[in-house]
Amino acid sequence: MFDSLSDRLGGVFDKLRGRGALKEQDVRDAMREVRIALLEADVALPVVRRFIDQVTEKAIGQSVLRSVTPGQQVVKIVNDAIIEMLGGDVTPELDLNAAPPVVIMMVGLQGSGKTTSTAKIAKLLKEKQGKKAMMASLDVNRPAAQEQLKVLGEQVGVATLPIIPGQQPTEIATRAMQAAKLQAVDVLLLDTAGRLHVDQQLMDEMKAVAEISNPRETLLVVDSLTGQDAVNVAQSFSGQVDLTGVVLTRMDGDARGGAALSMRAVTGKPIKFAGTGEKMEALEVFHPSRVANRILG
Ligand code: GDP
């Protein structure tokens, strides 16, 4: 097991106790440790570089407070910088300020946890916000994907659009909009098709669905365990659709937490939810400070 970053920084700065200001060479030594910790936490390399540059600049010349050691002070600077990079210590909410039915479009690769997250969010909207929700699966690629959403809908007590075999995603989206209007639904969640790899057909289909449904939220679902792949996926999607946020799944299996930092840096969008298990309750609003704690250890 590695020492935590906090301990290692303490080690770097032990010899410095009591000096007046953080010196450039000391900060650079400390940043070597931070860099290793971030890479171990699976933060993407370009993001690590940017982060280190920002923090180095901030730290050099800062006078050391009397009450803390230089190591503790650098840990605080790094902690604050992680939180700032994640958008500040606020929990971002869904933006549902539009005429109903407000559409939430879920996008992402197959297996990322899209369908599960769709049902989890529908449950949360129903139970925590008293919304009348409806879900529709536009996933005609994966066998039984539409059935899966239906089953989850029954589990969480949220209606799903009846399945008509053979319909294409845009047809389903059109039908879902009509049904949601007719049934005075507040929020319509569209679970779009995923594929194993990002491809143009997937992107075109997503854009066509967005055109029809005019989503207020477009949430990219990514698996936090897929590291650099997740970063590439985020890059591809954010170049093609106007994402409004990210759902990071499998945070229960990610002891390292670095994916959050990469996702935020690459998409520039807030992480709105963290999936923390397979159960329908296993969805948390995202807390930047918890991720900072995980990374700093
Ligand atoms: P989709 O293909 O993107 O729609 O993926 P699914 O929603 O079908 O999820 C794929 C698998 O991942 C399922 O077995 C889910 O139960 C599981 N899963 C989804 N989210 C999470 C999560 O946050 N934590 C864990 N441990 N499993 C998850």
Side-chain angles (χ1 to χ4, degrees):
M1 208 42 210
F2 299 107
D3 286 342
S4 75
L5 178 58
S6 307
D7 292 342
R8 284 191 295 191
L9 288 178
V12 171
F13 282 99
D14 261 358
K15 55 187 186 322
L16 299 176
R17 194 181 296 270
R19 282 204 216 161
L22 296 174
K23 300 275 181 346
E24 178 159 350
Q25 192 52 49
D26 302 326
V27 170
R28 293 205 187 282
D29 288 348
M31 286 310 128
R32 242 195 310 277
E33 298 292 335
V34 174
R35 184 187 154 87
I36 294 168
L38 292 176
L39 290 173
E40 279 170 5
D42 218 11
V43 182
L45 186 56
V47 179
V48 173
R49 289 208 182 107
R50 201 190 319 165
F51 181 85
I52 296 285
D53 287 349
Q54 283 171 8
V55 176
T56 305
E57 199 177 312
K58 203 173 284 177
I60 291 173
Q62 236 187 53
S63 49
V64 178
L65 302 169
R66 272 169 182 275
S67 53
V68 297
T69 65
Q72 285 166 340
Q73 186 152 343
V74 171
V75 168
K76 165 114 179 52
I77 293 170
V78 172
N79 182 70
D80 292 351
I82 292 173
I83 291 173
E84 192 187 315
M85 202 173 207
L86 289 170
D89 206 6
V90 287
T91 47
E93 306 209 347
L94 287 174
D95 173 11
L96 302 176
N97 298 314
V102 183
V103 173
I104 301 177
M105 186 166 89
M106 308 289 288
V107 303
L109 291 189
Q110 192 169 306
S112 58
K114 200 158 33 61
T115 304
T116 310
S117 302
T118 303
K120 285 177 177 177
I121 294 173
K123 175 180 160 71
L124 186 129
L125 289 172
K126 176 187 151 208
E127 292 176 4
K128 298 268 158 63
Q129 298 192 29
K131 299 283 185 194
K132 180 170 180 183
M134 177 189 263
M135 304 189 286
S137 169
L138 280 51
D139 192 346
V140 296
N141 295 336
R142 184 159 62 90
Q146 298 186 67
E147 275 296 325
Q148 183 193 350
L149 188 68
K150 181 174 168 228
V151 171
L152 293 178
E154 283 160 6
Q155 220 173 305
V156 298
V158 171
T160 47
L161 187 73
I163 300 168
I164 299 181
Q167 275 202 330
Q168 289 309 297
T170 49
E171 295 172 310
I172 304 174
T174 305
R175 191 158 57 86
M177 291 299 289
Q178 286 164 350
K181 276 178 198 153
L182 268 175
Q183 296 173 35
V185 161
D186 298 316
V187 185
L188 171 65
L189 295 106
L190 298 178
D191 182 15
T192 64
R195 258 182 259 280
L196 292 176
H197 300 284
V198 176
D199 63 31
Q200 201 49 47
Q201 199 196 343
L202 173 70
M203 294 297 173
D204 291 344
E205 191 176 290
M206 219 170 47
K207 284 189 230 176
V209 169
E211 196 111 311
I212 290 166
S213 62
N214 189 24
R216 187 71 177 178
E217 289 273 5
T218 302
L219 302 179
L220 174 67
V221 181
V222 282
D223 178 347
S224 62
L225 295 180
T226 55
Q228 187 57 42
D229 263 358
V231 174
N232 297 340
V233 167
Q235 231 143 15
S236 313
F237 275 87
S238 59
Q240 299 268 346
V241 274
D242 293 328
L243 297 177
T244 57
V246 175
V247 180
L248 261 187
T249 61
R250 299 210 178 81
M251 286 294 274
D252 47 314
D254 180 21
R256 302 169 299 177
L261 212 53
S262 304
M263 284 305 130
R264 172 76 200 208
V266 168
T267 63
K269 302 297 177 205
I271 294 153
K272 298 213 167 173
F273 296 105
T276 55
E278 300 205 22
K279 295 223 173 74
M280 286 295 107
E281 302 70 48
L283 186 76
E284 292 180 0
V285 287
F286 183 76
H287 298 286
S289 55
R290 287 195 200 155
V291 169
N293 286 342
R294 271 197 198 195
I295 292 175
L296 281 166

